[in-house]
Amino acid sequence: MNAQPDPDEGLLFDIPRAKAKARAAGRPAPPRRSPAAELSVARVVVDTPLPHLDRPFDYRVPSTLDAEAVPGCRVRVRFNGQLLDGFLLERVAESEFRGRLAYLEQVVSPEPVLAPEIRELARAVADRYAGTLIDVLRLAVPPRHARTEKAPVEHPGLPPLTAPEPGPWRDYPAGPGFLAALRDGGAPRAVWSALPGPDWADAVAVAVASTVAAGRGALVVAPDGRDVEVLDAALRSRLGADRHVALTASLGPEERYRRWLAVRRGHVSAVVGTRAAMFAPVHDLGLAVVWDDGDDVHSDPHAPYPHARTVLSMRAHRSEAALLVGGFTSTTDGLALVESGWARPLAAPREVLRSRAPVIRAAGDDAELARDEAARSARLPSVALRVAREAARNGPVLVQVPRRGYLNSLACARCRAPARCPGCQGPLALRSAHAMPYCRWCGRIAGEWRCPDCEHARLRASVVGARRTAEELGRAFPSLPVRTSGREEVLTEVGERPALVVATPGAEPAAAGGYAAALLLDGWALLGRADLRASEEALRRWCNAAALVRPAGEGGQVIVLADAALPVTQAFIRWDPMGFAERELAERRELGFPPAVTMASVTGEAAHVRELVDQLALPEDAELLGPVPVLGAPETAGTERALLRVPRGGARRLSASLKAAAAARSARKDDRLAQVRVDPLDVV
């Protein structure tokens, strides 16, 4: 798009006036510049956060920068009296603007870091999420590291890669056909329900190797660095050296930029990385993979808040590439792709699944209640202790605790009323056995707390964290070592020797040979969250932990402390995540919740939210819910949120309406902007 620059935005450059100012200041006058002989107009996206300026601006290319000003390079330009960064999108012969164009001030680097495909993808993502192009480009293109960019690079020639055998894909009836389509350069799209166990990484590597052998590129996005390490090792085994790179934030800016440049320059054919790698400029993309797409870390916390699954789906569609959405569970979003006909399910037969999964039982089932009446309410009922004691003779036992810390929530020991801070009414917690209770909101010590209802001064735990659980298990199993894995220290792997491993969800280390058993505690804490996806997320966390346990044929057992009558618990016991996703999607379709519909949220100060909502030109089929106050910590006081709902096919129209309203307010220099999120993770 070619936009006409506005004179009051500083895009006109008056040479005589500049010379006069220079003489008055005693500086030498700026030299006269002449335009480049060919394609002298550069279209630049300027790094400005204002929504109403989300368009390219035309600048004149001086002859001195003709060779360096290539499409995709970083530049600096005069904009509204400031020297701002930007990206040169393209060069053309003529501008639609008939006034005098300002010249490019500087080419920061002639390296064409912005590939045409990524530029077009970024524009589509910005429109999809009601954001701006420059916001997406900040996520897509890493900051420049000059020394790395200028360093000489030796790129060894590599022999052609031979397509691998199906390997672990033989366990899936549609697996060999999926690989055959990749080898033939096709674009199959599948939602993959992976079998429990460690073979998932090798299966991804085989799919990537099949794509690379066909002469196309591949991109794999995983939730965290530990998954990336596992995939990196699997890819190295299947591809050999120098054919792929791993991109994670832990690399540091220099090494990360070096690897990113290797991708941009076409020196490697495959990339594996965390969320930011979804924009990696892989040449001739033939396969995009997102692993464990239900993990909320796939949603970027920076505007415009894109989700890796959506971005890779858009990218696969635009590039005519294959897409593989995989995990040990099936999300409702993935199932929606299947039901739309855009993707197909890829799952193993039930008999194969039963041979790979451990035995799963709920602590409160009827048989256990007949033996132990306390099993329904006890945090560690006798069946859990019995299974842990028996399994620990043969190897490590995993204990999953939903909350980190020590005692994260306290209550009155007499009347069970929640213990709250006298100052701000925030929840009280304990950091250790010898610490004083403190407020989780304001940090105030509440050493003289008394219950306002019954005047009792003693406290009891209502939510127990991982560290307190480790203490309790250490007393129950004095002969076993107890290891913890959580935010303070995340373990990568544990050995085969007997031990108790207490971990929070997502921090469970792999065990050599698999865990002998797993105890999944406090299921109510996962299922009782005020979240539309609470049951779906609980099943995902349970299945991810159970996938680390040995198969039933090798004695693997899993005990989940949750109500056995709940549909999500039954789906876990049967290992039927696809069936549960079908049930969830049907209920959400009936109630009008995502992903059956598209929703957007507008959050901010009450007046700002209402002003923006009042200015929206909503589609006819849109529905406004709210605004309503946002409840929570003190910093949310006075904050409101409105939800907007449209049919699933109306996402673009809703985003366009939100973006137009934000641009109109920005043009009026109204900086009191509310936060706009399309497809927010939390809608209740």
Side-chain angles (χ1 to χ4, degrees), residues 281-305:
V282 177
H283 287 216
D284 190 17
L285 183 68
L287 172 66
V289 181
V290 55
W291 172 254
D292 197 9
D293 67 301
D295 197 317
D296 57 8
V297 301
H298 281 303
S299 181
D300 202 294
H302 304 97
Y305 318 107

Side-chain angles (χ1 to χ4, degrees), residues 436-497:
M436 300 289 285
Y438 75 100
C439 176
R440 290 170 53 195
W441 285 1
C442 68
R444 177 179 176 180
I445 300 298
E448 298 180 357
W449 178 89
R450 281 188 174 274
C451 177
D453 296 332
C454 68
E455 294 296 322
H456 196 61
R458 295 189 63 184
L459 294 164
R460 71 184 299 273
S462 55
V463 175
V464 180
R467 283 191 287 116
R468 175 58 181 262
T469 302
E471 280 188 9
E472 295 174 352
L473 291 173
R475 290 193 291 267
F477 299 89
S479 62
L480 288 177
V482 179
R483 304 187 65 182
T484 60
S485 180
R487 186 174 67 173
E488 291 80 7
E489 181 185 7
V490 178
L491 304 177
T492 302
E493 189 176 10
V494 295
E496 298 179 346
R497 300 183 63 181

Side-chain angles (χ1 to χ4, degrees), residues 9 16 45 62 70 87 209 220 293 334 357 422 440 464 508 510 525 628 677:
E9 286 166 353
V45 57
V70 297
F87 292 97
V220 183
D293 67 301
R440 290 170 53 195
V464 180
E508 303 95 341
V628 296
R677 298 192 71 157

Side-chain angles (χ1 to χ4, degrees), residues 361-365 367-391 473 476-477 519 521 557 559 561:
R361 287 184 289 166
D365 62 16
E368 191 58 37
L369 286 174
R371 177 183 299 180
D372 180 10
E373 286 291 337
R376 191 186 304 277
S377 59
R379 183 163 188 263
L380 281 170
S382 60
V383 62
L385 295 173
R386 185 172 66 252
V387 167
R389 189 172 291 109
E390 294 172 355
L473 291 173
F477 299 89
L519 309 180
L521 305 185
Q557 299 184 68
I559 303 298
L561 273 69

